[in-house]
């Protein structure tokens, strides 16, 4: 599974960015998808996830109300809309795929099978 993450960049605090995760080849529609981030010197953090059919979502407390994950299975894409960005959101963001499961999405990190390359998000104060 080849996952391509894009959309990162430099933005001022309070601004917005949209990240994109795409897969070439086979469909993403059977996978639960997630976004993770890793800031320098910190552990990788699970930010948000969405079930294979888009019916369930999960958000870390740190991003609730500011980030929105969505997917378009017809286009094989998963997006992350990030609003009201803070300097603390600065990190490399990774998309990831886990086999679709009825398990709660907060368990997604334990099931990740595929990772995309990271995309840098930098929020200036």
């Amino acid at each position: 599974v080849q996952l391509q993450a894009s959309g990162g960049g430099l933005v001022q605090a309070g601004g917005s960015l949209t990240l994109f995760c795409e897969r070439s080849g086979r469909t993403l529609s059977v996978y639960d998808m997630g976004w993770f981030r890793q800031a320098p010197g910190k552990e990788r953090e699970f930010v948000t996830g969405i079930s294979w059919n888009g019916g369930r979502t999960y958000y870390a407390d740190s991003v609730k109300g500011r980030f929105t994950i969505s997917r378009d299975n017809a286009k094989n894409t998963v997006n992350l809309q990030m609003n009201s960005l803070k300097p603390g959101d600065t990190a490399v963001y990774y998309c990831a795929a886990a086999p679709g499961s009825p398990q709660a999405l907060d368990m997604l990190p334990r099931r990740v099978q595929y990772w995309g390359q990271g995309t840098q998000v930098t929020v200036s104060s």
Side-chain angles (χ1 to χ4, degrees), residues 5 34 41 46 79 81-82 91 94 96 108 112 123:
F46 179 38
N79 296 346
Q81 176 67 43
M82 306 185 295
Y94 301 88
L108 186 148
V112 170
V123 184

Side-chain angles (χ1 to χ4, degrees), residues 5-19:
S6 61
L10 172 64
V11 65
Q12 286 190 331
S16 298
L17 278 175
T18 303
L19 303 185

Side-chain angles (χ1 to χ4, degrees), residues 4 14-17 22-23 36 45 53 59 72 77 85 87 112 114 123:
Q4 301 279 348
S16 298
L17 278 175
E22 300 175 284
R23 180 190 174 184
F36 294 71
E45 175 189 9
N53 63 355
Y59 295 95
D72 185 338
T77 59
L85 283 161
V112 170
Y114 306 107
V123 184

Side-chain angles (χ1 to χ4, degrees), residues 60-78:
D61 288 343
S62 57
V63 305
K64 272 182 187 173
R66 301 188 298 120
F67 289 12
T68 302
I69 189 171
S70 62
R71 67 188 301 159
D72 185 338
N73 284 342
K75 295 182 179 178
N76 244 13
T77 59
V78 178

